[in-house]
Amino acid sequence: MTFLKDGRVVKTYRIALGRGGLGPKTQSGDNRVPEGIYRITGRNPNSAYHLSLRISYPTPSQAQAARARGIDPGGDIMIHGLRNGLGWIGAQHRRIDWTQGCIAVTNAEIEEIWRTVPDNVVIEIRA
């Protein structure tokens, strides 16, 4: 995961992604991380994972497309640390993609991201 400011790389993090593999997120339960342009729309300091930043998936057009197909697009996509109580795993969590469609970093990394990334910032998720 790469953070940019004014087109320049500020910081890069190694991450774990959803266990649904590569490909666009299409519905709830597919365990894929959505690709596209989103915003950070909220924060949860009391998450089941060490801090979490909400990603604005699904967009209105993604929700409408899913409804047209008769499926639930899913939601609750976050950038977060490790599950509470499992922080000891640290960077080893990156050995496999394990989330249910979120982007996971270490607890120390999410603390840094939490402090430096403002709400409503535009993010792009792509393979």
Side-chain angles (χ1 to χ4, degrees), residues 19-79:
R19 60 181 171 234
L22 296 176
K25 181 164 191 65
T26 58
Q27 65 185 44
S28 178
D30 65 9
N31 292 320
R32 292 185 174 166
V33 177
E35 293 183 68
I37 305 292
Y38 303 98
R39 291 187 176 273
I40 298 297
T41 57
R43 296 165 184 269
N44 185 353
N46 300 312
S47 170
Y49 297 84
H50 186 68
L51 305 175
S52 62
L53 299 173
R54 180 175 297 283
I55 296 171
S56 64
Y57 174 86
T59 64
S61 63
Q62 289 170 320
Q64 182 179 17
R67 276 193 305 275
R69 293 189 316 270
I71 59 173
D72 175 359
D76 278 342
I77 304 299
M78 312 282 183
I79 301 171

Side-chain angles (χ1 to χ4, degrees), residues 59-109:
T59 64
S61 63
Q62 289 170 320
Q64 182 179 17
R67 276 193 305 275
R69 293 189 316 270
I71 59 173
D72 175 359
D76 278 342
I77 304 299
M78 312 282 183
I79 301 171
H80 60 67
L82 300 175
R83 181 174 283 283
N84 292 332
L86 296 179
W88 59 269
I89 294 172
Q92 297 302 313
H93 83 97
R94 298 184 289 229
R95 289 183 164 201
I96 61 167
D97 287 330
W98 57 271
T99 77
Q100 294 178 347
C102 295
I103 299 168
V105 294
T106 67
N107 289 355
E109 291 166 337

